[in-house]
């Protein structure tokens, strides 16, 4: 293999830093996540609250504080979750269904508002509670990844990478 072929192969598999997110949790379990791009500029926030039954409601805002959408997550008896995403007008834009195996690994499938597959992700958790997520498109091709760590106080920091330098991976 020539040097040029090696360089092309490496570039084809390279992942770009496309942003970070940091999540803080208050005394009541409510979470605030700040999303930043690769330059450290804030691109938006997500605020989440969880009710008595474990259902989670998240409001997503842009950098100016304007609401751009919401997500509602419900959890069944087995710990599987279903998340419905809506735009600022309340129209459903997509869904995510996740199941967690015995080892704490989570597999998620994403669909659009018509129920068509838009991709999937798989998340593994290590002994310290750090997670690594791999994102795939509808054809099973890897599009990006994220790694998250949680500090002593329960704050979570996530580093996002993508095959496309112009893409931002938000958790929703």
């Amino acid at each position: 293999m020539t040097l040029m072929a090696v360089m092309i192969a490496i570039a084809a598999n390279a992942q770009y830093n496309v942003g970070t997110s940091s999540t803080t949790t208050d005394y009541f379990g409510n979470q605030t996540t700040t999303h930043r791009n690769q330059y450290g500029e804030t691109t938006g926030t997500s605020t989440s609250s969880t009710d008595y039954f474990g259902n989670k409601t998240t409001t997503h805002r842009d950098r100016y504080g304007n609401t751009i959408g919401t997500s509602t997550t419900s959890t069944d008896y087995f710990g599987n979750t279903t998340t419905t995403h809506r735009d600022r007008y309340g129209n459903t834009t997509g869904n995510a269904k996740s199941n967690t195996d015995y080892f704490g690994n989570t597999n998620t499938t994403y669909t659009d508002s018509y129920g068509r597959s838009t991709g999937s992700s798989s998340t593994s958790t290590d002994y310290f509670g750090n997670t690594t997520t791999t994102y795939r498109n509808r054809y099973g091709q890897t599009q990006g990844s994220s790694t998250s760590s949680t500090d002593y106080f329960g704050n979570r920091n996530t580093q996002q990478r993508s095959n496309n330098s112009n893409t931002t991976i938000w958790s929703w």
Side-chain angles (χ1 to χ4, degrees), residues 56-69:
K56 186 175 187 177
T57 301
T58 304
T59 301
H60 308 286
R61 295 179 177 86
D62 65 17
R63 70 182 71 197
Y64 306 108
N66 302 310
T67 298
I68 57 175

Side-chain angles (χ1 to χ4, degrees), residues 1-16 163:
M1 184 179 285
T2 66
L3 179 58
M4 180 61 79
V6 171
M7 290 173 62
I8 291 172
I10 291 172
N13 292 315
Q15 287 199 336
Y16 302 90
N163 291 353

Side-chain angles (χ1 to χ4, degrees), residues 90-152:
N91 302 309
T92 299
T93 58
N95 293 281
K97 294 187 177 182
S98 301
N99 60 72
T100 304
D101 65 20
Y102 181 82
F103 301 100
N105 301 313
T106 302
N107 294 300
T108 304
T109 56
Y110 304 95
T111 54
D112 63 17
S113 56
Y114 302 102
R116 299 176 299 205
S117 174
T118 58
S120 64
S121 65
S122 54
T123 302
S124 60
T125 305
D126 68 16
Y127 181 81
F128 301 99
N130 303 314
T131 61
T132 300
T133 302
T134 301
Y135 301 93
R136 297 177 180 85
N137 64 18
R138 72 185 71 191
Y139 307 109
Q141 301 162 325
T142 298
Q143 297 297 293
S145 64
S146 63
T147 53
S148 299
S149 60
T150 304
D151 67 18
Y152 181 81

Side-chain angles (χ1 to χ4, degrees), residues 27-46:
Y27 182 81
F28 301 99
N30 302 313
Q31 295 180 324
T32 300
T33 301
T34 301
H35 306 279
R36 295 180 177 86
N37 62 19
Q38 62 266 46
Y39 306 109
E41 302 163 331
T42 298
T43 57
T45 60
S46 301

